[in-house]
Amino acid sequence: MALEQGRAVTAGPAPSDTARETGVFDLHAHLAFYDDPAAAARKLAAAGVGALCATVTPGEFERAERELAGADNVRVGVGLHPWWLADGRCDEADARHAAELAASMRYVAEVGLDFSHGRDARAALQVSALDAVLDACAGGGHVLSLHAVASADAVLDLLERHGTCERNDVIVHWFSGSGEQLTRARRMGCLFSVNAFGLRTRRGRSYATQIPAAQLLLETDLPGEGAHALEWPPDRLAGRLRETLGELCELRGEDVSGVIAATSRRLLSLQ
């Protein structure tokens, strides 16, 4: 663990020329869903894509970290997806494991809360797990990608309680809360990763024009589990990113590609 500008971070791989030259960045991808994540990462690098690989369980993180160790265009985040807590695939032991890992890892993705579709039946476990992860990040220097569905106020309350945004980079992925919640998150300093699914909705398009360019990022939230991974090979994923960026610039009436790239390079340490 190294100290960087007063923040505790885990040293990552030195960026290669390929990584430095990547032009688009996926700040929330699920590369561990591919049968061969390393091969997918190489194809993304060839397509000029850098990525943050979000994982859904601590075990998946550990596996993906091993498999993607040589992929210098990809960073892997410690994950504990609220769906896995809500349906019982993960439990208190997994929550403890995720918090232990998060304390020493720079990237934490995907964690958060989801109170939709009956998942609030295990809300207490979700909140306890996220609380422990945010406590583990109290020292600062982390990059977090958060899930906040039907739970934005609860997530923002926890972030405020821990002072997470003051010492870390916090990304709310695919934000779907209210306008008031968006304003609150913006003022707290959150970043927002935008994907093509969100831009299909009126609310998503509106939010994409309201968020300051310096707080905007791109994501795919792909490829998805099982057969879905076959539908989204890395080249298609790269194309989706570029299409999303083009739509975002058109919606805003300005070219935000340079600002988004600069923020992404900083977060992924690909300068």
Side-chain angles (χ1 to χ4, degrees):
M1 188 176 292
L3 284 177
E4 180 177 284
Q5 296 180 348
R7 293 181 173 186
V9 300
T10 299
S16 68
D17 289 342
T18 300
R20 291 188 186 97
E21 293 168 4
T22 52
V24 289
F25 304 87
D26 191 337
L27 269 293
H28 194 100
H30 285 282
L31 305 184
F33 287 160
Y34 285 120
D35 288 338
D36 189 342
R42 288 192 295 270
K43 291 177 181 177
L44 288 174
V49 177
L52 173 59
C53 174
T55 60
V56 296
T57 69
E60 186 186 64
F61 163 75
E62 291 172 324
R63 184 170 63 254
E65 188 184 36
R66 291 192 301 270
E67 294 177 345
L68 291 165
D72 61 3
N73 63 315
V74 173
R75 303 292 181 257
V76 184
V78 177
L80 183 61
H81 199 295
W83 290 2
W84 271 249
L85 286 168
D87 66 14
R89 283 178 285 179
C90 287
D91 57 17
E92 290 87 348
D94 294 297
R96 289 192 297 272
H97 193 187
E100 290 166 0
L101 290 168
S104 60
M105 296 292 110
R106 175 164 168 77
Y107 298 96
V108 180
E110 172 178 12
V111 297
L113 305 176
D114 193 318
F115 298 160
S116 67
H117 304 294
R119 296 186 181 104
D120 57 341
R122 302 196 80 187
L125 176 58
Q126 292 186 47
V127 169
S128 174
L130 181 57
D131 187 66
V133 167
L134 296 182
D135 187 58
C137 296
H142 302 270
V143 177
L144 301 93
S145 181
L146 298 181
H147 180 114
V149 175
S151 61
D153 279 332
V155 168
L156 296 175
D157 287 347
L158 284 169
L159 291 173
E160 284 189 337
R161 185 183 309 162
H162 288 277
T164 309
C165 296
E166 298 167 13
R167 295 180 291 275
N168 304 276
D169 288 294
V170 177
I171 306 164
V172 183
H173 110 88
W174 194 349
F175 184 83
S176 60
S178 69
E180 289 183 357
Q181 291 165 338
L182 176 68
T183 299
R184 181 185 176 193
R186 279 171 40 202
R187 289 176 176 169
M188 288 172 61
C190 291
L191 303 166
F192 301 87
S193 51
V194 174
N195 63 43
F197 302 111
L199 293 182
R200 289 175 183 169
T201 69
R202 180 179 300 176
R203 174 179 288 186
R205 291 191 296 273
S206 175
Y207 287 176
T209 65
Q210 295 175 42
I211 297 167
Q215 290 172 264
L216 269 176
L217 299 163
L218 298 176
E219 65 159 76
T220 61
D221 200 21
L222 293 168
E225 292 183 271
H228 295 292
L230 299 176
E231 299 174 7
W232 286 98
D235 58 342
R236 188 180 180 198
L237 202 105
R240 183 65 166 263
L241 274 176
R242 289 188 165 89
E243 290 168 3
T244 302
L245 178 59
E247 185 174 356
L248 192 57
C249 292
E250 184 176 354
L251 277 170
R252 294 174 64 93
E254 61 176 332
D255 184 357
V256 293
S257 58
V259 176
I260 291 175
T263 305
S264 302
R265 287 180 189 276
R266 177 182 67 80
L267 294 173
L268 297 174
S269 299
L270 294 175
Q271 287 89 345

